[in-house]
Amino acid sequence: MKTDFFELKQSYHEIREKFNEYKECGLSLDMSRGKPNSEQLDISSFIINDLDKKDYMSKEGFDCRNYGAMDGILEAKELFAEILGTNAENIIIGGNSSLNLMYDMISDFVTHGSIPNKPWSKENKIKFLCPCPGYDRHFAITEYFGFENIAIPMQDDGPDLDIIEKIVSTDPQVKGIWCVPKYSNPTGAVYSDEKIKRLANLKPASADFRIFWDNAYVVHDLYEEIEILDIIEECKKAGNPDMAIEFASFSKITFGGSGISCIASSVTNINNFKKRIALQTVGYDKLNQLRHVKAFKDKNSITAHMKKHAEFLRPKIEIVLNKLEENFGGLNICDWTKPKGGYFVSFDSADGQAKKIIEYCKECGLVLTPAGSAYPKKIDEKDSNIRIAPSFPSLNELSLAMDIFCVCVKLVYLENLNNEK
Amino acid sequence: MKTDFFELKQSYHEIREKFNEYKECGLSLDMSRGKPNSEQLDISSFIINDLDKKDYMSKEGFDCRNYGAMDGILEAKELFAEILGTNAENIIIGGNSSLNLMYDMISDFVTHGSIPNKPWSKENKIKFLCPCPGYDRHFAITEYFGFENIAIPMQDDGPDLDIIEKIVSTDPQVKGIWCVPKYSNPTGAVYSDEKIKRLANLKPASADFRIFWDNAYVVHDLYEEIEILDIIEECKKAGNPDMAIEFASFSKITFGGSGISCIASSVTNINNFKKRIALQTVGYDKLNQLRHVKAFKDKNSITAHMKKHAEFLRPKIEIVLNKLEENFGGLNICDWTKPKGGYFVSFDSADGQAKKIIEYCKECGLVLTPAGSAYPKKIDEKDSNIRIAPSFPSLNELSLAMDIFCVCVKLVYLENLNNEK
């Protein structure tokens, strides 16, 4: 079906007809979120009845059925420390949601400060840096607390550090940045060593500037294993020991919503966070922590498990990339990322066409992430970015979905060409 | 060992000797918190491997391994609704900790308001009513957010409503009250119908006044089953439909820290809370929700389970009450509550003696809840209240612990008598 630009222009009526056919099909497919499907979830189902009813003691002799061990059991800290390349003393184990830990952290910084007794609520204005396209749920949190989210261009090896260095070093209202350093949502960018070092070496105008380091896809390689630098160590070396707060979870290792999560940071920060968490809860679910450490003894067993996930995801990402290449390779009318991990492909149409493409897909029964979702206030100034989340459909469904998507991209493009005449 | 007052006065040296004997024993017993012990936890251990690895579908056909169902699965809502005497539409299911839900609610009211767009942080001062003696973790939350906690005297059938009505109706800085309506921690008081109705019929000077109704011991009867009025319904009848926010959990039905929790409130409130929670998490642990609804089909099965808990707790509460009666019955030198449920006995020494009693117990290796814990700022003006938490020790240990406690009470009392001479 590969076309050159001239052929494409000639085929408007054919494409219009194809679009109408798809509309008639009555397809109903939701590709709006990065959810695994049932078959992919099955590879983790062993964890549901992993624990025997006698399995309740932690290795330090703690009865995990009871109250206490507010910051988590040691073996869970050690497991996360190995995954993140840090130490158990730098870890607090949370509940089922790392997003919740991030929300709580922002909320507490607002009311009490990231440096004790310096609440962000006392500032006239707070700004937060949002590498874009980025993760909508991150931006929604800082928006909820009234911060001004500032879009920072995302590049193949991380956000634009030239801009970040300039803003952070001059504007004391800038208090933090959202980062997904490995297989960034949605572009799949992996932060380079150089950019991680530059982030760690920032000289913020505000002493309580914080890097929110959401390492959501730390072990989510689709091809070879990639390791990025440990932000906590780099910040320490740079003389900014308390600047980074890292988060990770098992939501996409075992189950979305039934995993365990963690905060990793300097020991100083960890001790401060513990004081707040001790007010908030008597402790997170330690039986679920046991369940996870019983299932995964070390990073090697997690890597083996992630290879099974990759067997599901790699072919899906490849269908997306192949369909896009077949339809648009060399045409220079749109662009897309080629991720080596994570859950998404980030697609860019010609300017001003993303909303319309998403609308046309919806008319064909294909629900995509709403236009603008990857930007502050959900406004994509160029109206070009679309997040493709191929994990949920089956291979056949996905193949059809991408055919529909490509037809809609072409249709919108040609309609615009015609209008311009 | 029962003594009359005259005998007690004569026996100082004997008691001093007994105290020294206990000090020599090298006992080490922590009775500071209301924790069940290992044997009591065993009755719930079946829930650890309750689910089969194929058990992941909710009755509405939701795959509980995946993201979503942010406010909980229907069957979990129905179970909590039955326990609390309300409807599923009034419920949001939370994570493992109802305390966390309360903390989050207070935090959100501070930053965003209990009525949308009326953040409590914009007020010069916030006051919160704390029936005392009460639950230290409640008071710690409102203290952390800088509220002035105001002690309200606790009576046998609930807090002093004469005082509450007066303060709430005249002072707009008063934004809420902490209540544990059934088997209140630590007195064991059960709120009477009359007091619940008076609470529901408050005419607050502040439109965003809220009742925090922590129904932690709703099914935790040691003798006959007691039902209290449904605060949500009473508030509705009184024309204050959004005034009460109720909380409950399975922490003392199954496991502290591995249960499920809920918020119950008006549908208006629930819809508002959902908007915030949708920013905070993609959803709480639904497999643990399934685990609980599989274990407990309805309130009857919970009641049957709670009778097993009562078999552990009732003899312990009775040892406490019997030892106190044997040692101090009719002496009029101290007082204590006689709870019919919950986890605690609240003891009052003569004024100015609680700290010393707790210190002496510690010298004998018996750790009690710190003096003042049941009061705002941990200050018990009369220095008389001691929370006795008998759930953790074995019956033999508890019997010895109460002997030690009674000797320490007597010793402090007699030392004070001697000093007064």
Side-chain angles (χ1 to χ4, degrees):
Chain A
M1 197 181 162
K2 180 148 178 173
T3 44
D4 64 23
F5 187 66
F6 181 75
E7 280 172 338
L8 179 62
K9 279 169 69 177
Q10 301 306 313
S11 57
Y12 173 76
H13 291 288
E14 200 183 312
I15 287 166
R16 179 93 227 167
E17 210 162 289
K18 197 74 200 156
F19 172 73
N20 287 329
E21 271 176 41
Y22 286 137
K23 262 173 67 169
E24 299 300 311
C25 278
L27 180 79
S28 174
L29 189 57
D30 189 341
M31 276 174 54
S32 64
R33 306 286 333 166
K35 283 166 65 168
N37 68 9
S38 178
E39 289 70 35
Q40 190 182 340
L41 291 168
D42 284 346
I43 66 171
S44 306
S45 279
F46 73 97
I47 202 172
I48 296 176
N49 62 352
D50 178 27
L51 288 188
D52 181 80
K53 67 180 178 184
K54 301 274 179 200
D55 290 336
Y56 52 75
M57 296 303 283
S58 77
K59 74 177 188 182
E60 292 186 303
F62 198 89
D63 187 334
C64 291
R65 302 170 301 179
N66 220 331
Y67 289 110
M70 177 272 294
D71 54 342
I73 58 175
L74 180 60
E75 49 267 59
K77 291 183 190 178
E78 287 171 340
L79 185 61
F80 266 118
E82 201 189 342
I83 293 171
L84 299 175
T86 184
N87 305 306
E89 63 176 4
N90 296 99
I91 303 266
I92 292 170
I93 307 295
N96 70 322
S97 164
S98 56
L99 190 76
N100 206 326
L101 295 175
M102 295 174 225
Y103 178 101
D104 288 358
M105 197 65 75
I106 293 285
S107 180
D108 191 56
F109 287 177
V110 168
T111 54
H112 292 81
S114 71
I115 294 174
N117 304 318
K118 218 170 168 295
W120 290 0
S121 61
K122 302 284 182 211
E123 310 275 342
N124 279 329
K125 184 169 197 170
I126 300 281
K127 297 174 188 164
F128 225 78
L129 306 186
C130 300
C132 285
Y135 182 35
D136 55 350
R137 291 184 184 272
H138 286 163
F139 305 165
I141 291 172
T142 36
E143 193 177 310
Y144 183 65
F145 285 96
F147 301 0
E148 183 188 340
N149 282 333
I150 296 176
I152 301 291
M154 192 68 179
Q155 299 164 334
D156 288 345
D157 61 345
D160 187 327
L161 255 299
D162 294 340
I163 298 178
I164 292 171
E165 283 166 345
K166 196 173 162 193
I167 297 180
V168 171
S169 63
T170 55
D171 188 346
Q173 294 182 329
V174 174
K175 295 290 185 189
I177 182 170
W178 288 114
C179 296
V180 182
K182 190 171 165 185
Y183 307 130
S184 186
N185 175 353
T187 72
V190 178
Y191 286 30
S192 64
D193 289 357
E194 185 227 332
K195 288 208 164 160
I196 294 177
K197 282 178 188 291
R198 285 174 71 183
L199 280 164
N201 281 280
L202 285 171
K203 303 280 172 257
S206 172
D208 50 358
F209 174 87
R210 292 291 177 262
I211 298 173
F212 276 64
W213 198 252
D214 182 2
N215 215 338
Y217 305 105
V218 57
V219 289
H220 302 59
D221 310 288
L222 296 180
Y223 300 92
E224 60 184 341
E225 274 180 72
I226 293 175
E227 278 199 19
I228 61 168
L229 289 178
D230 171 20
I231 188 72
I232 300 168
E233 181 62 22
E234 293 304 317
C235 283
K236 193 174 168 184
K237 282 197 263 179
N240 288 318
D242 304 324
M243 193 166 68
I245 309 167
E246 185 170 15
F247 303 88
S249 85
F250 275 74
S251 293
K252 284 186 170 105
I253 299 175
T254 56
F255 299 132
S258 298
I260 58 176
S261 63
C262 83
I263 305 170
S265 197
S266 69
V267 173
T268 304
N269 280 346
I270 290 293
N271 286 337
N272 280 327
F273 301 157
K274 278 184 195 171
K275 285 179 205 155
R276 185 243 312 162
I277 295 172
L279 294 170
Q280 197 167 8
T281 178
V282 185
Y284 293 104
D285 188 339
K286 296 178 296 294
L287 287 174
N288 209 31
Q289 293 173 30
L290 268 189
R291 211 171 267 128
H292 279 76
V293 293
K294 191 176 177 191
F296 304 104
K297 305 282 177 230
D298 52 25
K299 196 184 166 190
N300 283 342
S301 59
I302 289 176
T303 305
H305 188 68
M306 294 315 291
K307 283 194 201 305
K308 294 183 198 167
H309 279 297
E311 295 301 318
F312 285 89
L313 293 169
R314 196 174 45 239
K316 293 183 175 181
I317 296 283
E318 288 176 356
I319 284 175
V320 173
L321 298 181
N322 291 338
K323 289 281 184 187
L324 292 173
E325 183 61 32
E326 279 169 28
N327 282 276
F328 306 113
L331 274 189
N332 213 18
I333 65 167
C334 57
D335 200 6
W336 58 91
T337 59
K338 293 161 190 75
K340 303 278 184 252
Y343 270 68
F344 306 103
V345 173
S346 180
F347 175 90
D348 282 297
S349 69
D351 288 359
Q353 301 187 4
K355 265 188 204 149
K356 196 76 188 171
I357 293 167
I358 289 168
E359 187 188 314
Y360 278 2
C361 285
K362 196 173 178 187
E363 286 179 23
C364 299
L366 173 62
V367 177
L368 299 172
T369 312
S373 290
Y375 296 82
K377 292 186 184 165
K378 300 194 183 298
I379 297 170
D380 172 8
E381 299 282 358
K382 294 201 285 184
D383 185 27
S384 70
N385 187 254
I386 298 175
R387 185 177 79 165
I388 301 177
S391 56
F392 195 73
S394 69
L395 295 176
N396 284 337
E397 286 170 329
L398 177 62
S399 191
L400 173 61
M402 287 309 298
D403 287 340
I404 293 172
F405 178 77
C406 292
V407 160
C408 292
V409 171
K410 288 177 186 172
L411 186 59
V412 175
Y413 185 78
L414 292 174
E415 283 177 351
N416 272 277
L417 270 191
N418 293 338
N419 288 343
E420 282 166 17
K421 277 175 201 165
Chain B
M1 198 181 161
K2 179 146 180 174
T3 44
D4 64 22
F5 187 65
F6 181 74
E7 279 172 338
L8 178 62
K9 281 168 69 177
Q10 302 306 310
S11 58
Y12 174 75
H13 291 287
E14 201 184 314
I15 286 167
R16 180 91 226 169
E17 209 162 292
K18 196 78 199 155
F19 172 72
N20 287 331
E21 270 175 43
Y22 285 137
K23 260 173 67 167
E24 299 298 311
C25 277
L27 180 78
S28 173
L29 190 57
D30 189 341
M31 277 174 55
S32 64
R33 306 286 334 165
K35 283 166 67 166
N37 67 12
S38 178
E39 289 70 35
Q40 191 182 339
L41 291 167
D42 285 345
I43 67 170
S44 304
S45 279
F46 73 97
I47 202 172
I48 296 177
N49 61 352
D50 178 25
L51 288 188
D52 181 80
K53 67 181 178 185
K54 300 272 178 204
D55 289 337
Y56 52 74
M57 296 302 283
S58 79
K59 74 177 188 183
E60 292 186 303
F62 197 90
D63 187 334
C64 291
R65 301 169 302 178
N66 221 331
Y67 290 110
M70 178 272 295
D71 54 342
I73 58 174
L74 180 59
E75 49 267 58
K77 291 183 189 177
E78 288 172 341
L79 185 60
F80 267 118
E82 201 190 342
I83 294 171
L84 298 175
T86 185
N87 305 307
E89 64 177 4
N90 297 99
I91 303 267
I92 292 171
I93 308 295
N96 71 322
S97 164
S98 56
L99 190 75
N100 205 326
L101 295 174
M102 296 175 225
Y103 178 101
D104 288 358
M105 197 65 77
I106 294 283
S107 180
D108 191 56
F109 288 177
V110 169
T111 54
H112 293 81
S114 71
I115 294 174
N117 304 319
K118 222 174 165 290
W120 290 0
S121 61
K122 302 284 184 211
E123 309 274 343
N124 280 330
K125 185 169 196 172
I126 300 281
K127 297 173 188 164
F128 225 79
L129 307 185
C130 301
C132 286
Y135 182 35
D136 54 351
R137 290 183 184 274
H138 284 164
F139 305 165
I141 291 173
T142 36
E143 194 177 306
Y144 183 65
F145 285 97
F147 302 179
E148 183 188 341
N149 282 332
I150 296 176
I152 301 290
M154 192 68 181
Q155 299 163 334
D156 289 344
D157 60 345
D160 187 326
L161 255 300
D162 294 340
I163 297 178
I164 292 171
E165 282 166 346
K166 196 173 164 192
I167 296 180
V168 170
S169 63
T170 56
D171 187 347
Q173 295 182 327
V174 174
K175 293 290 184 190
I177 182 171
W178 289 113
C179 297
V180 182
K182 190 172 166 185
Y183 307 131
S184 186
N185 175 352
T187 71
V190 177
Y191 285 30
S192 65
D193 289 358
E194 184 227 335
K195 288 207 164 161
I196 294 177
K197 282 178 188 290
R198 285 174 71 185
L199 280 165
N201 280 280
L202 284 171
K203 302 282 173 254
S206 172
D208 49 358
F209 175 88
R210 292 292 176 261
I211 298 173
F212 276 65
W213 197 252
D214 182 3
N215 215 338
Y217 305 105
V218 57
V219 289
H220 302 60
D221 309 288
L222 296 179
Y223 300 91
E224 62 184 339
E225 273 181 74
I226 293 175
E227 279 200 18
I228 61 167
L229 289 179
D230 171 22
I231 187 72
I232 300 169
E233 181 62 24
E234 292 305 319
C235 283
K236 193 175 170 184
K237 282 197 264 179
N240 287 320
D242 304 324
M243 193 167 67
I245 309 167
E246 185 170 15
F247 304 88
S249 85
F250 274 73
S251 293
K252 283 183 170 108
I253 299 176
T254 56
F255 298 133
S258 299
I260 58 176
S261 63
C262 83
I263 305 170
S265 196
S266 70
V267 173
T268 305
N269 280 347
I270 290 294
N271 287 336
N272 281 327
F273 301 156
K274 277 184 195 170
K275 284 179 205 155
R276 185 243 312 162
I277 295 172
L279 295 170
Q280 197 168 8
T281 179
V282 185
Y284 294 105
D285 187 341
K286 296 179 295 297
L287 287 174
N288 208 32
Q289 293 172 31
L290 268 190
R291 211 169 269 129
H292 279 78
V293 293
K294 190 172 179 195
F296 305 104
K297 306 280 177 231
D298 52 25
K299 195 182 167 190
N300 282 342
S301 58
I302 290 176
T303 305
H305 188 68
M306 295 314 291
K307 283 196 202 304
K308 293 183 200 167
H309 279 298
E311 295 301 319
F312 285 89
L313 293 168
R314 195 171 48 238
K316 293 182 175 181
I317 296 284
E318 288 176 354
I319 284 175
V320 173
L321 298 181
N322 290 339
K323 289 281 183 184
L324 292 174
E325 183 62 33
E326 278 169 28
N327 281 276
F328 306 114
L331 274 190
N332 214 19
I333 63 168
C334 57
D335 201 7
W336 58 91
T337 60
K338 292 161 191 74
K340 303 277 185 249
Y343 270 67
F344 305 104
V345 172
S346 181
F347 175 90
D348 282 298
S349 69
D351 289 358
Q353 300 187 4
K355 264 188 205 153
K356 195 78 189 171
I357 293 167
I358 289 169
E359 186 188 313
Y360 278 4
C361 285
K362 196 172 178 190
E363 287 178 24
C364 298
L366 173 63
V367 176
L368 299 172
T369 311
S373 290
Y375 296 82
K377 293 186 184 165
K378 300 194 181 300
I379 297 170
D380 172 9
E381 299 281 359
K382 294 200 285 184
D383 185 27
S384 69
N385 187 254
I386 297 174
R387 184 176 81 165
I388 301 176
S391 56
F392 195 74
S394 69
L395 295 176
N396 283 338
E397 285 171 329
L398 177 62
S399 190
L400 173 61
M402 286 309 298
D403 287 339
I404 294 171
F405 179 77
C406 291
V407 160
C408 292
V409 171
K410 287 177 186 172
L411 185 59
V412 174
Y413 184 78
L414 292 174
E415 284 176 351
N416 271 276
L417 269 191
N418 291 340
N419 288 342
E420 283 167 17
K421 277 177 199 163

